């Protein structure tokens, strides 16, 4: 009988090795985790994402990656099957291990342009869902977009229909397992397609058994097919901007259209109408509208010569929908906002109308001076 009641066998030693390695790795994770916790603790409240936004952002990001991955897998399998590579095609279609976690941990998804777009989209959708629904004075009167579908002007009618189609596609939303369309700006969509293709190559490469060049060609061709089929003009934001341009609201009609768009909970249309009237692009107008401090929004509304009643309706609706906004502070500031002369407001927002790349260069240069 052994003096030691616990037998140390090779199997036990083999099990101890990964445990020791894990314990060693933990030594490096502790300070890194502490640094992240400290950074999070000292973030100002206005910079921190609330829990609902974080959850919605994670759902949207995963849905986008999964949608692109499904498309690349399907296209790649079709290409491989057509080239007589049925075994490799079957490997491409095996979806038990997706690429989202790999891309998430890689750090590629920390791309500032991608995150800016997705955070804005999540906040925009949340704002739309929380806006108070205003019943029309005449219950028989169709909503703003539906009314324009029947417009005799073909550009207006077509623009309204395009908005309805884009809204329907967007409403599939990240709460379902897979989207049918990423609805991203083309540059960001292209970036994700190539990242997903590269991650799939890494995932499937071990199963290629010497046919890696064949797999590479198929995945590259699949990505090209996906990109060729993508129409940035079908995005909801693009459709709303075309519709706003088709309406080209006169000064006398703009206030009612803005208020009605908010009452219909069509925040994208509100932003598009605001952007077109102000003469700026959609991304900047969205940034202005979503900014909870709203200083640029009030200047923009005054630059459009909107009166007290319209600004009050817009301001109170946004305050009710966005918990970051202080309704009492807005009420206290309303008189000061309306007192801003229209010409002064136009002069103040004039830099916003400059070319976006020019403005970005100016801001970048100003940042180096401050540093």
């Amino acid at each position: 009988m052994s003096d030691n009641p616990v037998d140390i066998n090779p199997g036990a030693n083999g099990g101890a090795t990964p445990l020791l390695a894990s314990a060693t790795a933990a030594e490096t994770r502790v300070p890194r985790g502490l640094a992240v916790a400290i950074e999070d603790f000292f973030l100002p409240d206005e910079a921190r994402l609330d829990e609902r936004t974080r959850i919605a952002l994670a759902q949207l990001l995963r849905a986008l990656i999964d949608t692109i991955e499904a498309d690349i897998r399907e296209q790649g399998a079709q290409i491989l099957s057509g080239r007589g590579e049925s075994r490799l095609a079957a490997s491409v279609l095996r979806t038990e291990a997706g690429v989202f976690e790999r891309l998430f941990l890689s750090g590629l998804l920390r791309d500032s342009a991608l995150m800016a777009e997705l955070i804005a989209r999540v906040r925009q959708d949340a704002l739309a869902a929380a806006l108070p629904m205003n019943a029309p004075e005449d219950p028989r009167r169709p909503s703003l977009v539906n009314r324009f579908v029947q417009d005799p002007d073909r550009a207006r009618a077509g623009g309204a229909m395009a908005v309805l189609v884009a809204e329907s596609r967007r409403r599939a939303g990240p709460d379902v397992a897979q989207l049918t369309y990423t609805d991203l700006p083309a540059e960001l969509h292209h970036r994700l397609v190539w990242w997903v293709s590269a991650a799939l190559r890494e995932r499937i490469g071990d199963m290629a058994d010497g046919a890696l060049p064949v797999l590479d060609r198929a995945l590259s061709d699949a990505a090209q097919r996906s990109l060729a089929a993508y129409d940035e003009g079908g995005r909801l934001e693009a459709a709303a901007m075309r519709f706003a341009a088709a309406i080209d609201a006169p000064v006398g009609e703009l206030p009612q259209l803005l208020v009605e768009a908010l009452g219909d909970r069509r925040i994208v249309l509100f932003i598009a109408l605001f952007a077109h009237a102000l003469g700026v692009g959609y991304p900047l107008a969205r940034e202005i509208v979503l900014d909870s401090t709203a200083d640029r929004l009030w200047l923009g509304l005054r630059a459009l010569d909107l009166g007290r009643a319209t600004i009050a309706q817009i301001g109170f609706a946004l305050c009710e929908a966005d918990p970051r906004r202080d309704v009492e502070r807005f009420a206290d500031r309303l008189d000061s906002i309306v007192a801003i002369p229209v010409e002064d407001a136009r002069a103040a927002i004039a830099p916003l109308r400059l070319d976006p790349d020019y403005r970005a260069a100016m801001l970048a240069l100003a940042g180096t001076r401050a540093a």
Side-chain angles (χ1 to χ4, degrees):
M1 183 176 178
S2 171
D3 292 334
N4 188 345
V6 180
D7 291 331
I8 305 299
N9 55 49
N13 285 331
T17 301
L19 180 61
L20 290 170
S22 178
T24 301
E27 290 291 320
T28 62
R29 287 197 303 270
V30 168
R32 189 163 62 244
L34 177 60
V36 172
I38 292 172
E39 184 69 22
D40 180 71
F41 177 77
F42 284 101
L43 277 177
D45 288 342
E46 60 271 18
R48 182 177 283 108
L49 295 178
D50 62 86
E51 194 61 24
R52 287 181 61 186
T53 302
R54 288 174 61 88
I55 292 171
L57 181 60
Q59 289 176 334
L60 175 59
L61 185 57
R62 178 179 284 277
L64 293 172
I65 298 296
D66 289 350
T67 297
I68 293 173
E69 179 181 351
D71 184 38
I72 299 298
R73 284 184 185 271
E74 182 180 350
Q75 299 274 13
Q78 288 177 0
I79 291 169
L80 287 166
S81 295
R83 295 171 182 173
E85 298 285 347
S86 56
R87 183 191 59 81
L88 199 52
S91 297
V92 170
L93 288 176
R94 291 175 58 185
T95 59
E96 62 270 16
V99 302
F100 176 77
E101 282 74 16
R102 175 69 180 97
L103 288 175
F104 189 86
L105 295 174
S106 72
L108 289 175
L109 300 179
R110 291 174 177 263
D111 180 86
S112 58
L114 175 64
M115 284 294 102
E117 176 66 27
L118 298 189
I119 291 171
R121 181 159 148 184
V122 164
R123 284 180 167 161
Q124 175 181 271
D125 291 346
L127 188 63
L131 281 168
M133 181 68 81
N134 293 335
E137 294 180 5
D138 181 358
R140 295 169 298 179
R141 190 186 191 200
S143 66
L144 173 61
V145 177
N146 290 328
R147 199 163 65 247
F148 274 98
V149 169
Q150 306 299 326
D151 197 283
D153 185 299
R154 294 179 62 183
R156 291 183 173 191
M161 182 57 69
V163 168
L164 290 176
V165 171
E167 282 180 341
S168 176
R169 184 165 49 200
R170 174 70 64 86
R171 284 197 192 102
D175 54 326
V176 296
Q178 194 177 112
L179 303 173
T180 58
Y181 193 75
T182 65
D183 237 13
L184 289 172
E187 182 181 351
L188 298 180
H189 177 79
H190 287 204
R191 206 171 297 176
L192 284 182
V193 165
W194 288 117
W195 286 344
V196 168
S197 300
L200 278 172
R201 193 255 196 195
E202 185 180 275
R203 183 76 73 194
I204 303 166
D206 293 340
M207 304 179 226
D209 292 336
L212 197 55
V214 177
L215 177 64
D216 282 337
R217 185 72 262 164
L219 289 176
S220 178
D221 290 348
Q224 292 286 6
R225 284 188 184 183
S226 178
L227 295 177
Y230 189 74
D231 179 15
E232 184 182 27
R235 298 179 62 227
L236 174 57
E237 290 80 0
M241 284 298 290
R242 290 195 302 272
F243 180 43
I247 296 174
D248 196 20
V251 175
E253 296 178 13
L254 180 63
Q256 177 58 32
L257 291 175
L258 288 171
V259 170
E260 195 171 353
L262 284 184
D264 289 345
R265 289 180 172 173
R266 284 190 160 101
I267 190 66
V268 174
L269 181 54
F270 173 85
I271 294 171
L273 290 167
F274 176 64
H276 178 75
L278 205 60
V280 301
Y282 187 92
L284 177 57
R286 179 178 60 187
E287 178 187 309
I288 292 172
V289 171
L290 295 180
D291 182 2
S292 59
T293 60
D295 291 336
R296 291 178 298 173
L297 176 59
W298 310 141
L299 280 175
L301 295 179
R302 284 300 295 143
L304 297 176
D305 201 11
L306 300 189
R308 179 189 180 89
T310 302
I311 293 176
Q313 285 178 281
I314 292 171
F316 285 122
L318 293 177
C319 286
E320 186 172 341
D322 188 349
R324 299 175 303 157
R325 301 173 195 255
D326 188 337
V327 66
E328 293 183 0
R329 182 169 182 267
F330 169 67
D332 291 341
R333 297 183 66 195
L334 183 55
D335 288 337
S336 299
I337 294 168
V338 177
I340 299 172
V342 173
E343 291 305 318
D344 289 355
R346 288 174 179 167
I349 61 97
L352 300 180
R353 294 190 171 112
L354 296 173
D355 183 280
D357 291 333
Y358 183 49
R359 286 185 61 247
M362 291 169 58
L363 291 172
L365 196 59
T368 62
R369 185 170 60 246

